[in-house]
Amino acid sequence: MDNKILGLHHITAIAGDAQRNFDFYTKVLGQRLVKKTVNFDDPGTYHFYFGNEQGTPGTILTFFPWEGIGKGRTGTGMATEITYTVPAGSLGFWKERFKQFNVPFEETIERLGEKYLRFTDPDGLQLSFVETVTDTRRPWITADIAENAATKGFHSTTLTLKDIEPTAKILTDIFGYTLQSQEDNRYRFITNTVDNANIIDLLATPNGTPGYNAGGTNHHIAFRVADDKVQMEFREKILSAGHQITPKIDRDYFFSLYFREPGGVLFEIATDNPGFTVDEPLQQLGTGLRLPKQYEPARADIEKVLPVLK
Ligand code: ZN
């Protein structure tokens, strides 16, 4: 399995207000802020990483909170739903919690034999919880979200596409996924290299309107590989298949490659190494503002422009 795609690594989305984003993910959903850093391409903007205790790949949702950014539009050519697993029987707890915090949610639905609770974050980003008994990942626990309800990490993400074929081909021919099931216009692809965060749903939407990337929409999805040696093997495969891809980029906590898949979604391939404890110990993850070394000399100026989190 060492040279394979190991499901999802992280998903990155765009938010507006940083405080509101931080409050929703850490307090309402009970995620751990595992890293507080800046957008490496725009250091006046935060980059938040929310996940489980260690920030295990497959649990990490990251945000660029851009103050004052307008609302985007979900549509074709983007990831349009992020699904986390929660323990069986916990959807009732979450509905009550969503009422308490005025989180918009829908009636529970059944999809491909599983129970889903769909809801949106304060920027309108589409999320859902699915009940499962098979996910043994240890969740991050908070004062009011116990182990019998806490999210364990990603289950899947949905990509909305005008034509699913070219994207499906990348998933199957390069990334090693197989078509597992289908319901209406939803095609479920899965990899058996890992037990969780191993599903991509493709939603065939030939008459859909293209999405517009701004607040409340997904920016990219990152697939996981063990290390940068495997990553570079995938770079060769993607180039050989006729797609363009960036060189390897050092993101401090992992190495990244990016390419726009033919359906329009920005894909990343990200490594397990070196991980989030590279610049702060496990117990202190997310407590301080971490800067990449090129911005460390400008720390005072950067701290001045970033909104203060309460
Ligand atoms: Zn990324």
Side-chain angles (χ1 to χ4, degrees):
M1 296 301 173
D2 287 353
N3 61 347
K4 301 279 174 55
I5 292 286
L6 307 171
L8 288 167
H9 184 284
H10 66 271
I11 298 173
T12 295
I14 301 173
D17 187 75
Q19 181 74 51
R20 190 175 67 174
N21 178 256
F22 171 80
D23 286 346
F24 182 79
Y25 285 93
T26 60
K27 293 170 189 164
V28 180
L29 295 194
Q31 298 293 289
R32 186 181 195 193
L33 179 69
V34 294
K35 195 62 67 182
K36 181 167 62 174
T37 182
V38 293
N39 183 338
F40 288 12
D41 304 314
D42 176 13
T45 303
Y46 278 121
H47 193 180
F48 294 151
Y49 290 79
F50 303 107
N52 69 359
E53 183 185 19
Q54 294 88 3
T56 309
T59 74
I60 311 158
L61 181 55
T62 99
F63 286 91
F64 300 125
W66 272 299
E67 305 295 323
I69 192 168
K71 197 165 159 36
R73 181 182 66 228
T74 57
T76 57
M78 56 170 53
T80 51
E81 183 169 334
I82 297 164
T83 304
Y84 286 90
T85 64
V86 292
S90 66
L91 291 185
F93 166 89
W94 285 106
K95 283 184 196 171
E96 285 308 309
R97 189 164 179 81
F98 291 163
K99 281 182 206 159
Q100 186 189 344
F101 288 95
N102 296 314
V103 177
F105 66 93
E106 300 171 15
E107 283 304 312
T108 307
I109 57 165
E110 190 158 317
R111 184 189 279 168
L112 292 163
E114 296 175 310
K115 271 172 76 180
Y116 282 76
L117 174 61
R118 282 163 47 89
F119 60 99
T120 50
D121 86 353
D123 288 289
L125 186 70
Q126 184 67 59
L127 302 163
S128 55
F129 284 164
V130 61
E131 287 192 350
T132 167
V133 290
T134 56
D135 190 338
T136 56
R137 290 176 291 179
R138 209 160 66 101
W140 177 247
I141 302 298
T142 66
D144 48 353
I145 305 172
E147 184 149 10
N148 62 6
T151 69
K152 294 166 181 288
F154 295 140
H155 168 272
S156 59
T157 186
T158 298
L159 312 184
T160 297
L161 302 164
K162 279 189 180 295
D163 174 10
I164 70 161
E165 285 307 323
T167 308
K169 200 169 158 54
I170 289 186
L171 291 179
T172 57
D173 295 6
I174 302 179
F175 285 180
Y177 283 67
T178 53
L179 178 65
Q180 184 202 44
S181 48
Q182 185 219 335
E183 186 175 84
D184 305 323
N185 62 336
R186 180 176 297 272
Y187 294 78
R188 173 156 293 183
F189 290 82
I190 189 163
T191 176
N192 63 4
T193 56
V194 283
D195 294 330
N196 299 293
N198 57 352
I199 292 169
I200 304 287
D201 281 355
L202 303 186
L203 205 58
T205 314
N207 300 316
T209 307
Y212 166 67
N213 214 209
T217 63
N218 287 297
H219 188 265
H220 63 266
I221 66 169
F223 292 86
R224 173 186 185 189
V225 288
D227 58 36
D228 44 320
K229 181 177 161 288
V230 180
Q231 182 183 44
M232 294 312 274
E233 293 169 7
F234 275 100
R235 186 170 191 277
E236 287 308 311
K237 288 179 194 170
I238 289 157
L239 284 170
S240 302
H243 307 290
Q244 294 189 330
I245 186 163
T246 66
K248 182 170 81 170
I249 299 170
D250 184 354
R251 293 301 187 194
D252 280 15
Y253 311 108
F254 43 85
F255 295 95
S256 294
L257 298 171
Y258 301 88
F259 72 106
R260 181 81 57 186
E261 60 84 25
V265 184
L266 186 59
F267 277 5
E268 176 180 348
I269 299 175
T271 61
D272 278 11
N273 64 311
F276 292 108
T277 52
V278 71
D279 62 356
E280 56 190 345
L282 181 61
Q283 283 174 329
Q284 286 162 32
L285 287 183
T287 54
L289 177 68
R290 312 309 306 186
L291 295 176
K293 53 182 176 304
Q294 66 269 31
Y295 295 136
E296 201 54 68
R299 174 176 280 273
D301 292 334
I302 289 171
E303 286 181 341
K304 239 177 273 171
V305 299
L306 289 172
V308 177
L309 291 183
K310 293 190 283 289

